[in-house]
Amino acid sequence: MTNKMWGGRFASGPAEIMEEINASIDFDKRLFAQDIAGSKAHCRMLAETGIISGEDAAAILQGLDTIASEIEGGDFTFSRALEDIHMNIEARLAELVGPVAGRLHTARSRNDQVATDFRLYVRDAIDHLDGLLADLQRALAEKALDHAATVMPGFTHLQPAQPVTFGHHYLAYVEMFARDRGRLTDARKRLNESPLGAAALAGTSFAIDREMTAKDLGFDRPMQNSLDAVSDRDFALEVLAAASIAATHLSRMAEEIVVWSTPGFGLITLSDKFTTGSSIMPQKRNPDAAELVRAKTGAVFGAFTQLLIVMKGLPLAYSKDMQEDKVPVFTALDTLSLMLTAMTGMVRDMEPNVQAMRKAAGAGYSTATDLADWLVRELGLPFREAHHVTGEIVAYAEENGLTLARVPLDAMQKAEPRITQDVFSVLSVANSVKSRKSLGGTAPSNVRKLARSWIKRLETDAASG
């Protein structure tokens, strides 16, 4: 009795443990829509080129439509004995249309079939993630516009550095997520070539039309080398690399939400929607959604590393190791999707504590750079000298428990006799941020202009599809 999948070469079926380690249907069944789309494109091409008859093609296409409906309706029975999504669909097709189903596999292999399915799936996932990133950008830009003049501390080393605005801080993440979208867009362009028709590794002797199937499936062109077509997983690695960077940005933002929401900072408030309580401490409001976003970054990083390790030692062309490409990709892209959705909800939900932000913005002598800049601009001091004079004034303020704005003029003049009363005009946090009008600076006028520009750009992108 020959093996029903591998034909006459094998006289018996696999051992139980072989079936267990070999089967991929538990996870690759999510590729059913892409597998059916690829099979339909291949079938139409086979009919168009005269490799199979139009009558056979019509029966196959009808059968594939029926299978798609069954799977979507939850009426399809998946078999682990049939290993993967390709064989499950082919076996059901044979039940529906009879021996004609066997003609569908003419001039293709599971190698180019899975490579095509996987590219189609990742392409769809990129489009989905791009939409989620755009939603997050929009939420950030709208919040930035609302808080273009809300002063908060800007940090370096998590120490108060210079005053910025809450809107300016949020727009920094808009820029980061724009780069994430750009990386995914670039990956999509390189991904968008069709492996279908490369067959097992060497192409096929049938006079197929690979341009036709590529166009049918929305690819820009067929891949040019059959060995590369079935063995390449660069597209998955590149998307996981982009996903890892995006997850890093989300984790950094999550960390800030965790820190800002603590009583020690008290810069923002999250509602009940994105916090949890404690089973023993009734007063607690824990920023669990942010903490989980921060933690889930590890799953994305791990998936990228896992696939790199799978691929690093493989000779051309296909090896069964590559069956292990899908789980890390599915895990990473599912995780990133969840992280983005949660972060967008938190951004829309959170409220800045404006008074606490303003108070914190003035802590740590954060307008010291404004004082040094004033000494350079008004008195003509070299910046290094102005830096030294400012340091003396800060030391005086610290010794006497004063803010810079409350240091007496005569005390400042001991450090630099030419300082005038006008210096106090630059020492408030509000005036500090207003003065930062250089391109990319935190001035509220800059923030409003850039936030409106981003909102308009995102609306235009959404309208154009």
Side-chain angles (χ1 to χ4, degrees):
M1 180 178 178
T2 59
N3 182 281
K4 59 186 174 182
M5 286 184 288
W6 305 325
R9 172 64 179 84
F10 288 80
S12 64
E16 184 177 346
I17 191 62
M18 179 60 190
E19 184 174 303
E20 182 69 23
I21 197 173
N22 197 43
S24 61
I25 189 60
D26 293 343
F27 54 84
D28 70 15
K29 62 186 176 184
R30 73 160 68 188
L31 297 175
F32 80 89
Q34 290 79 17
D35 194 73
I36 289 173
S39 289
K40 290 171 74 173
H42 186 66
C43 180
R44 285 189 287 266
M45 180 275 296
L46 291 176
E48 183 69 22
T49 54
I51 296 172
I52 67 173
S53 71
E55 182 180 0
D56 287 348
I60 290 169
L61 292 171
Q62 184 176 358
L64 290 170
D65 285 338
T66 299
I67 293 169
S69 297
E70 289 176 348
I71 297 175
E72 289 166 359
D75 300 322
F76 189 94
T77 301
F78 292 99
S79 168
R80 298 189 87 242
L82 292 171
E83 292 188 13
D84 57 31
I85 187 61
H86 324 297
M87 296 307 298
N88 270 264
I89 289 174
E90 185 174 320
R92 177 58 178 150
L93 185 64
E95 291 175 355
L96 290 171
V97 303
V100 167
R103 298 191 184 281
L104 177 60
H105 209 55
T106 306
R108 75 171 183 181
S109 161
R110 280 195 294 178
N111 292 355
D112 63 335
Q113 191 176 354
V114 69
T116 303
D117 293 358
F118 201 23
R119 280 178 184 261
L120 290 172
Y121 180 89
V122 173
R123 189 177 70 184
D124 290 343
I126 289 172
D127 294 342
H128 174 68
L129 291 171
D130 183 73
L132 294 180
L133 283 161
D135 289 344
L136 178 53
Q137 284 184 293
R138 191 176 301 106
L140 288 163
E142 289 169 353
K143 208 81 166 185
L145 185 58
D146 290 341
H147 293 281
T150 299
V151 178
M152 67 170 289
F155 299 97
T156 61
H157 309 277
L158 206 56
Q159 303 293 320
Q162 291 180 300
V164 295
T165 69
F166 191 49
H168 188 61
H169 196 105
Y170 262 15
L171 287 177
Y173 283 104
V174 175
E175 299 290 336
M176 292 184 202
F177 295 127
R179 293 193 294 274
D180 292 326
R181 293 180 69 192
R183 276 181 280 271
L184 288 172
T185 298
D186 289 344
R188 193 188 193 284
K189 290 177 182 176
R190 276 182 286 278
L191 170 156
N192 209 35
E193 296 183 341
S194 175
L196 192 57
L201 76 161
T204 177
S205 59
F206 289 94
I208 61 174
D209 186 342
R210 293 190 63 210
E211 295 283 353
M212 178 182 173
T213 51
K215 183 178 180 180
D216 197 346
L217 292 169
F219 289 113
D220 294 331
R221 63 191 69 84
M223 296 183 74
Q224 296 299 299
N225 182 283
S226 59
L227 286 166
D228 181 48
V230 298
S231 64
D232 169 57
R233 293 298 183 270
D234 290 1
F235 65 94
L237 288 168
E238 189 170 4
V239 169
L240 291 185
S244 296
I245 297 171
T248 300
H249 293 154
L250 289 166
S251 186
R252 294 181 71 181
M253 191 171 187
E255 170 70 6
E256 291 190 330
I257 291 171
V258 171
V259 171
W260 291 352
S261 64
T262 62
F265 278 75
L267 301 184
I268 61 168
T269 299
L270 290 171
S271 76
D272 294 350
K273 295 178 182 178
F274 293 95
T275 56
T276 65
S278 165
S279 63
I280 190 172
M281 295 170 285
Q283 83 281 9
K284 293 296 293 296
R285 183 192 293 275
N286 300 319
D288 282 14
E291 291 172 346
L292 288 166
V293 166
R294 186 176 58 185
K296 286 180 181 295
T297 302
V300 182
F301 291 177
F304 181 35
T305 303
Q306 181 179 346
L307 186 54
L308 282 171
I309 293 170
V310 167
M311 297 302 299
K312 71 173 182 61
L314 298 186
L316 297 181
Y318 182 84
S319 298
K320 194 68 171 185
D321 311 51
M322 293 167 69
Q323 181 169 288
E324 297 301 305
D325 58 0
K326 295 166 199 65
V327 170
V329 171
F330 295 161
T331 298
L333 301 187
D334 287 351
T335 300
L336 183 59
S337 176
L338 181 59
M339 293 166 69
L340 286 165
T341 303
M343 184 58 76
T344 302
M346 281 187 281
V347 167
R348 294 193 184 281
D349 178 70
M350 74 171 66
E351 288 298 330
N353 299 327
V354 176
Q355 294 306 317
M357 280 189 169
R358 178 176 289 273
K359 182 178 179 181
Y365 310 101
S366 63
T367 56
T369 305
D370 296 273
L371 172 55
D373 289 346
W374 185 90
L375 294 170
V376 171
R377 187 171 55 251
E378 301 299 327
L379 304 184
L381 269 64
F383 183 80
R384 285 302 173 199
E385 185 178 344
H387 186 283
H388 181 78
V389 170
T390 300
E392 290 185 14
I393 296 171
V394 169
Y396 177 90
E398 190 171 32
E399 289 169 7
N400 292 275
L402 301 171
T403 65
L404 281 179
R406 292 188 176 277
V407 174
L409 180 61
D410 60 352
M412 290 191 186
Q413 288 173 336
K414 288 180 181 178
E416 171 49 63
R418 291 179 293 162
I419 295 177
T420 67
Q421 188 72 28
D422 183 57
V423 73
F424 292 99
S425 67
V426 302
L427 296 181
S428 73
V429 292
N431 286 341
S432 174
V433 296
K434 285 180 183 177
S435 71
R436 306 288 172 179
K437 294 183 179 179
S438 60
L439 180 65
T442 191
S445 56
N446 284 8
V447 174
R448 290 188 187 96
K449 182 179 179 181
L450 187 58
R452 290 191 180 106
S453 174
W454 268 114
I455 291 168
K456 183 178 180 180
R457 190 187 315 181
L458 291 163
E459 288 174 347
T460 301
D461 289 348
S464 63

